[in-house]
Amino acid sequence: MGLNIELAGIAVEILEPLPYLIEHCAQWQTDRTPEWAITTGPEDLEREKEAAEGDFSTGYLQMLAVLRKFCLQASQRGILLFHASALQIDGKAYLFTAPSGTGKSTHARLWREAFGSRVTMINDDKPLIRLENGRFYAYGTPWNGKHRLSTRTSAEIAGICFLAQGKSNVIQPLSGREALPALMTQIHKPESAEGTRDYLMLVSRLAQTVPVWRMECTISPEAAQLSYQTMTGSRAE
């Protein structure tokens, strides 16, 4: 028996899902007819085990395998997997990205503390982004990091910020040429030749159409105020 879920507007069927996957994907279940099916076998789980380099449950490994297989086909539909913390405020999505452990989740938390109920977490670790009618949207997914912060929602992306730890708060815009190689380090690259072609086109378009910044910041309310004001063009309230 399969499990039908919706990811970035695409309905897919996961065949022979384990209880761990069923639990973690509950929010994304759908009655829509799936566009394709995802099967995971022992070889897929072994691959994820080797890549993860840790002692993880079979259910967790199946979750990783499902995501990998979804991404194999998703770029052909204008969908990419972004390593970022994505939130929504006043109807727009803002993404914070950085190498693991740098503080993207912490900065998103500072926004939640500063702006309260105006902020909705889209996904705290692995949102999907999709090109739709010339605009990029961020979507929540079940792959949401150690804090399990994600919702089945989406919003148009109004800005992306690369974070680095600093002794003061400084934010600067990146040109499309500067943004492209930085984005490529944080967006999952498909393994097929066709997927790579679509990936390059999508990332290039993202760099040219969505404002991108680089910010050195402290863990402080002032950091959230500065990034908010810069990225939204509004004074923090």
Side-chain angles (χ1 to χ4, degrees):
M1 185 179 233
L3 173 71
N4 292 351
I5 63 173
E6 183 177 318
L7 300 171
I10 302 293
V12 296
E13 181 183 14
I14 303 170
L15 300 178
E16 299 183 8
L18 297 172
Y20 181 97
L21 188 144
I22 294 171
E23 176 187 353
H24 284 70
C25 292
Q27 187 180 164
W28 282 267
Q29 289 192 51
T30 181
D31 294 329
R32 292 177 54 198
T33 302
E35 298 189 30
W36 73 80
I38 296 175
T39 303
T40 58
E43 67 282 0
D44 299 306
L45 303 187
E46 185 61 30
R47 175 180 181 175
E48 299 304 332
K49 182 178 180 180
E50 293 177 0
E53 297 182 348
D55 186 17
F56 298 102
S57 70
T58 303
Y60 179 79
L61 296 175
Q62 187 185 47
M63 283 279 293
L64 296 179
V66 166
L67 180 59
R68 185 187 297 273
K69 290 202 167 186
F70 178 82
C71 290
L72 280 173
Q73 298 192 53
S75 61
Q76 300 173 33
R77 315 293 180 95
I79 300 169
L80 296 170
L81 177 67
F82 204 151
H83 179 228
S85 185
L87 56 81
Q88 175 180 277
I89 186 168
D90 301 335
K92 298 292 184 180
Y94 297 90
L95 278 61
F96 300 100
T97 187
S100 296
T102 302
K104 64 184 187 300
S105 294
T106 299
H107 196 78
R109 173 177 59 78
L110 292 173
W111 274 49
R112 296 196 302 275
E113 292 173 354
F115 308 113
S117 61
R118 289 170 59 196
V119 176
T120 299
M121 288 302 300
I122 297 175
N123 185 279
D124 199 34
D125 189 46
K126 293 181 176 65
L128 291 167
I129 61 173
R130 184 175 188 180
L131 179 63
E132 301 176 64
N133 299 318
R135 299 179 180 182
F136 283 92
Y137 291 79
Y139 282 81
T141 75
W143 296 270
N144 49 20
K146 63 182 179 181
H147 300 299
R148 307 271 312 150
L149 295 175
S150 188
T151 52
R152 186 177 172 178
T153 188
S154 64
E156 182 183 352
I157 301 173
I160 299 168
C161 187
F162 285 84
L163 299 174
Q165 296 175 0
K167 295 181 179 180
S168 60
N169 300 310
V170 181
I171 185 168
Q172 296 178 323
L174 297 182
S175 67
R177 181 174 294 182
E178 293 170 321
L180 179 58
L183 289 167
M184 291 175 70
T185 67
Q186 297 300 98
I187 296 177
H188 175 77
K189 183 179 179 180
E191 299 170 0
S192 67
E194 286 187 356
T196 299
R197 179 198 62 203
D198 296 330
Y199 158 87
L200 291 172
M201 181 275 292
L202 289 167
V203 178
S204 178
R205 189 160 182 178
L206 180 68
Q208 296 295 330
T209 58
V210 174
V212 181
W213 288 269
R214 178 176 287 120
M215 183 179 188
E216 291 187 5
C217 58
T218 60
I219 302 174
S220 67
E222 291 76 19
Q225 299 284 343
L226 176 60
S227 59
Y228 170 87
Q229 185 170 335
T230 303
M231 296 176 74
T232 67
S234 303
R235 291 188 63 83
E237 299 175 0

